[in-house]
């Protein structure tokens, strides 16, 4: 249940204990809201934003989650969830935007909608993931993903974005958001690029190991030949001496 809905009847009761309970609910941790947790926050980095839905709408099971993608982000890739149908809704751009690879974007992802095959029961939680590149010029700024949670009865709009100098904790229904940090020294290589680099390094290390192993084997082989020849020579000398003694 949302803190907003629970607080009203408690305040009307007029009892001091009810008032204290209402204050406690207002100060409830962010986990009571729909939240977004990024795997990376650096400008230019590729990240996976995990959207967490911890409860229904005042006890009603959740049927749909609509995530609004902020305008600076042009493309996102949603992760499949076996309990939902996923729909990506595109939005035409006023002007084309270069994609950095010789092409251009003429439209962007406006919203991503997860529709439950069966309603998510109250008392159970679920997560949805969006993969995207954080804009390179947004260090120090907030990226907000206003989200509408639709339930069998009613809906909750987690769409409030704090104004400058305001904390999200002061809002009743804050939009999932995170602050973009300074770009890392690694630049804006994505997960795939990093994986390829790691794969290349691993391949090089394997090749070097194989070459070293081949060289060691060759050395061992030549050493064996030399030792064998020395053994034959020593044996021949010993045999000659024994014959002379006889």
């Amino acid at each position: 249940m949302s803190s907003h809905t629970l607080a009203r009847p408690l305040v009307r009761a007029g009892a001091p204990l009810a008032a204290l309970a209402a204050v406690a609910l207002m100060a409830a941790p962010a986990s009571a809201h729909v939240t977004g947790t990024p795997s990376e926050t650096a400008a230019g980095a590729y990240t996976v934003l995990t959207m967490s839905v911890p409860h229904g709408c005042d006890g009603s099971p959740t049927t749909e989650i609509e995530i609004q993608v902020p305008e600076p982000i042009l493309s996102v890739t949603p992760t499949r969830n076996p309990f939902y149908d996923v729909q990506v809704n595109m939005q035409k751009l006023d002007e084309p935007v270069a994609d950095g690879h010789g092409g251009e974007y003429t439209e962007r992802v406006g919203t991503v909608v997860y529709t439950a095959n069966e309603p998510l029961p109250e008392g159970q939680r679920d997560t949805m993931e969006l993969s995207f590149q954080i804009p390179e010029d947004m260090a120090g700024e907030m990226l907000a993903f206003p989200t509408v949670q639709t339930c069998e009865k009613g809906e909750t709009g987690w769409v409030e974005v704090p104004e400058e100098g305001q904390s999200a904790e002061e809002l009743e229904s804050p939009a999932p958001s995170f602050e973009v940090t300074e770009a890392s020294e690694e630049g804006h290589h994505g997960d795939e690029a990093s994986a390829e680099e790691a794969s290349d390094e691993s391949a090089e290390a394997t090749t070097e190991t194989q070459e070293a192993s081949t060289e060691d084997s060759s050395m061992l082989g030549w050493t064996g030949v030399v030792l064998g020849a020395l053994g034959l020579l020593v044996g021949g000398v010993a045999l000659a001496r024994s014959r002379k003694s006889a």
Side-chain angles (χ1 to χ4, degrees):
M1 297 184 181
S2 68
S3 58
H4 179 68
T5 303
L6 286 175
R8 285 179 293 182
L10 289 174
V11 173
R12 284 199 297 266
L17 181 59
L20 288 175
V23 172
L25 285 170
M26 294 290 287
S31 59
H33 306 316
V34 171
T35 59
T37 304
S39 60
E40 296 287 345
T41 60
Y46 283 84
T47 189
V48 175
L49 182 68
T50 301
M51 305 290 289
S52 177
V53 182
H55 55 70
C57 307
D58 296 331
S60 180
T62 301
T63 58
E64 181 182 280
I65 296 293
E66 180 183 272
I67 306 167
Q68 299 176 27
V69 179
E71 289 187 3
I73 298 175
L74 300 177
S75 176
V76 302
T77 301
T79 300
R80 292 181 61 188
N81 186 315
F83 299 107
Y84 299 82
D85 291 328
V86 185
Q87 181 178 347
V88 177
N89 298 315
M90 305 303 294
Q91 183 180 74
K92 188 173 180 59
L93 294 172
D94 294 334
E95 296 181 1
V97 177
D99 64 2
H101 302 284
E104 60 183 20
Y105 290 103
T106 58
E107 57 183 4
R108 60 176 293 274
V109 176
T111 61
V112 177
V113 181
Y114 281 82
T115 303
N117 297 325
E118 293 185 6
L120 173 64
E122 169 69 12
Q124 296 184 19
R125 65 181 297 275
D126 211 336
T127 59
M128 299 87 185
E129 295 179 339
L130 301 179
S131 174
F132 56 90
Q133 184 179 14
I134 300 173
E136 298 180 355
D137 57 353
M138 290 198 67
E141 299 184 40
M142 296 292 295
L143 274 178
F145 295 76
T147 299
V148 177
Q149 178 184 10
T150 301
C151 300
E152 288 185 333
K153 295 182 180 179
E155 67 178 30
T156 301
W158 305 98
V159 297
E160 296 180 337
V161 179
E163 298 179 359
E164 186 175 354
Q166 185 181 24
S167 172
E169 296 179 358
E170 301 175 27
L171 305 176
E172 292 188 24
S173 301
S177 61
F178 67 92
E179 182 176 353
V180 179
T181 57
E182 295 293 336
S184 65
E185 296 180 357
E186 297 178 357
H188 57 271
H189 295 294
D191 295 338
E192 294 181 358
S194 298
E196 290 177 0
E197 290 176 0
S199 178
D200 291 341
E201 291 175 0
S202 176
E204 290 176 2
T206 301
T207 301
E208 291 175 358
T209 301
Q210 291 175 342
E211 291 176 351
S213 177
T214 302
E215 292 176 358
D216 291 343
S217 299
S218 299
M219 289 296 294
L220 288 173
W222 282 109
T223 300
V225 172
V226 172
L227 290 176
L230 289 174
L232 289 175
L233 179 60
V234 172
V237 172
L239 180 60
R241 289 181 178 178
S242 64
R243 287 179 177 178
K244 288 181 180 181
S245 300

